[in-house]
Amino acid sequence: MKNILSNIWAKRALALISALYAAGVCRLAYLSVFYDIHIKSRPSLCLTLVAVSLVALLCMISSRKQVLTKLSSFVILIAMLPVALLYFGEWCLIIPIVVTGIIIFLLSGAGEGTKTAMGTVILLMYLFGALGFFMLKAFFVASARETLMDSGTSPSGKVQIRSSKH
């Protein structure tokens, strides 16, 4: 096994797998923004995501010095922002991917300065993204509360009268 992982082409193939995982996370982000995702079987989704994320994490750790893996580690965390905001509370969807992204981000072969700068940018994106999302949601989502003031029927019985306050 040691000889296989010392081969540069094997590491490049593993880096390609990490790029495919990052592309899958980007696809999930796209689907979460433009579509409504309904999870039918939570346990199977959780097990599948944990297994896929674990395999991807092992591939990424093995190829952490490759440029493609370094870029994938940054892309995964950035792409998870819309998923984390729009599906907050769907922990079986969020946690395996975010944990994989954080671990490979910290263990990637990128320099400390690069990790510090990118970590700061990603953290600020999450902070301001969440703040902006919840502020827009609070300001532009109409209140669904309605108070019934009076109701009845007209003297002819053909029209219903309903007075309500929003």
Side-chain angles (χ1 to χ4, degrees):
M1 187 71 174
K2 183 80 171 161
N3 287 338
I4 293 173
L5 291 180
S6 64
N7 185 357
I8 189 68
W9 291 104
K11 288 184 180 182
R12 289 179 181 165
L14 292 174
L16 187 61
I17 291 172
S18 68
L20 289 174
Y21 182 76
V25 172
C26 290
R27 175 84 174 144
L28 177 66
Y30 171 80
L31 291 174
S32 68
V33 169
F34 293 108
Y35 297 99
D36 193 20
I37 299 173
H38 295 284
I39 300 170
K40 292 187 180 198
S41 176
R42 291 183 196 284
S44 65
L45 174 75
C46 223
L47 289 174
T48 303
L49 272 177
V50 166
V52 169
S53 295
L54 187 61
V55 168
L57 181 63
L58 292 174
C59 291
M60 287 185 210
I61 288 174
S62 300
S63 65
R64 67 178 173 258
K65 301 284 184 191
Q66 300 295 316
V67 174
L68 205 52
T69 303
K70 292 176 191 176
L71 290 175
S72 296
S73 69
F74 300 140
V75 167
I76 289 169
L77 291 175
I78 294 170
M80 278 305 290
L81 178 63
V83 179
L85 290 176
L86 295 171
Y87 292 97
F88 190 78
E90 297 290 340
W91 302 118
C92 63
L93 181 66
I94 297 170
I95 288 177
I97 300 171
V98 169
V99 167
T100 301
I102 290 172
I103 290 173
I104 195 56
F105 177 75
L106 295 174
L107 296 178
S108 71
E112 294 301 317
T114 305
K115 283 195 263 189
T116 302
M118 286 302 295
T120 303
V121 168
I122 291 169
L123 189 61
L124 286 173
M125 282 178 57
Y126 272 81
L127 182 69
F128 289 131
L131 181 67
F133 177 74
F134 290 120
M135 284 181 67
L136 284 174
K137 196 173 177 182
F139 288 138
F140 293 115
V141 172
S143 176
R145 232 181 334 175
E146 186 175 297
T147 306
L148 184 63
M149 301 296 286
D150 187 25
S151 66
T153 310
S154 67
S156 65
K158 293 182 180 181
V159 179
Q160 277 191 337
I161 302 167
R162 184 173 178 196
S163 173
S164 62
K165 179 181 176 185
H166 295 282

